[in-house]
Amino acid sequence: MRLTERGERVARSRHPWIFSGAITEVLGEPEAGTAVDVRSRDGTLLGRGLFNPHSQIRVRLYTDRDEPLDAAFFAARVEAAARLRTEVLGLGDPKGASRLVFSEGDHLSGLTVDRYGSHLVVLLTGLGISKHLEPILDALEGSLAPEGIVLRTEKGMAEAEGLIIEDGVLRGRMPEEPVEIVEGDLRFAVDLRTGQKTGFYLDQRENRRRAAAYAPGREVADVCSYSGGFSVAATWAGAERAVAVDVSQPALELAASNAERNDVAAAVETVRANAFDWLSEQAERGRRYGMVVVDPPRFARSRRGVPAALKAYRRLNGLALRCLGEGGALVTFSCSGRVSEVDFQAAVAQAAEDAGRRLRFVERLAQAADHPVSSDCPESAYLKGFVAIAD
Ligand code: SAH
């Protein structure tokens, strides 16, 4: 495979995504999932990856060395990823949960694996790597001896990749009931079969703890709450009450059950609503909170989507600030890999201007350590957030 000049620069930087537009020539007729070499004009090997004619990401690169992309290769990468969590990051608590493999962050583009206690959830977002699933599962069983491994795919992602694969149990046994995991002093129920993504937002683990530090004595609005992680952490830490707001009814049911599990049900209310509508309505009614957490889904799916995403962040944060009392804490996030931290902070600052408020940014937040950022892929630094105190 040969590339445009720009494409060559990308491949030389070891960025794992080679887009279709960067390819000038394909020698031979590789099938979907085949290992392919990417070479410079003078024939030098730039990288080796897996080909997918169905995807905009035509090749996902896994190495810049002359080594086979075989069972042993993927097993070794998976084992290295698992060791980082257990031996380096200290995330081996058998009752806890951690992200074991984070796609590009672990140089395994297209593969995510989360551990929830003794169960593993595999999320596939790349077709090429799906062809190596068996050795990957063997490596996971060898490293962690899980009770069961289940497969999840995201519908949109599977379509974009031409990935035809059925969700279900891959190895061992999976419980019908949600699994309980421990995070610090807290317990959460995780639905491994029908929950969002793999079932729980492990990337916010540290941020739930950080946000809770501002919660005592305050009323908290937890906007885009999913299963109530921030509401539970805040009320457990002494918030007067928390309102968990989400559009998803199943998410709110999990939030209510999580509040009960942690004996804070009396302080946690759930409201099914659109975040923008709910915040506007609260602002109009003059409701003020001591803390507003805003954790919306990804607004930018591609580089082209960034300007519209920044506008949406500005609007959402402006509305949040209208519901924040004097001295209140705004805890705000963007999980769009394409939106930089600098641009996101600028959008929040603009929102403050729109709302006629001034902010003091007191903390920068990011994805938890088990979601490593690869030096080859800046987009793997996807989660950014701030705690800001509003005057
Ligand atoms: N804060 C959560 C994770 C949030 S993920 C945690 O710590 O676990 C984003 C959530 O936003 C999802 O639960 C999704 O259902 C919800 N959501 C998406 N669009 C929304 C909207 N327009 N209004 C309210 N919630 C929305």
Side-chain angles (χ1 to χ4, degrees), residues 196 201 204 208 224-226 230 246-248 273-275 295-297:
Q196 287 183 22
Y201 290 90
Q204 294 285 26
R208 282 188 274 273
C224 298
S225 65
Y226 184 52
F230 284 99
D246 203 284
V247 277
S248 156
N274 173 289
D295 186 19

Side-chain angles (χ1 to χ4, degrees), residues 73-93:
F73 175 90
F74 287 106
R77 284 272 165 100
V78 167
E79 283 155 12
R83 273 201 311 275
L84 174 67
R85 279 66 179 179
T86 50
E87 292 172 18
V88 183
L89 300 177
L91 290 169
D93 174 2

Side-chain angles (χ1 to χ4, degrees), residues 327-328 330 345 358-363 386-391:
L330 174 70
Q345 188 168 16
R358 288 171 85 197
L359 292 176
R360 278 174 289 170
F361 290 93
V362 290
E363 284 196 52
F386 297 98
V387 181
I389 307 301
D391 288 355

Side-chain angles (χ1 to χ4, degrees), residues 116-186:
Y116 295 107
S118 53
H119 296 91
L120 305 186
V121 181
V122 172
L123 181 71
L124 284 174
T125 52
L127 174 137
I129 203 161
S130 74
K131 310 261 181 200
H132 299 273
L133 193 55
E134 289 307 312
I136 287 168
L137 297 176
D138 292 342
L140 288 169
E141 286 197 315
S143 298
L144 297 137
E147 262 175 58
I149 308 180
V150 71
L151 177 72
R152 299 289 307 273
T153 43
E154 278 173 38
K155 217 170 153 271
M157 197 59 106
E159 274 164 20
E161 281 286 309
L163 190 63
I164 302 163
I165 197 157
E166 285 238 347
D167 286 9
V169 179
L170 297 170
R171 300 269 173 107
R173 284 174 300 114
M174 293 303 286
E176 292 295 331
E177 306 288 292
V179 165
E180 186 178 274
I181 57 147
V182 172
E183 185 180 279
D185 294 331
L186 310 173

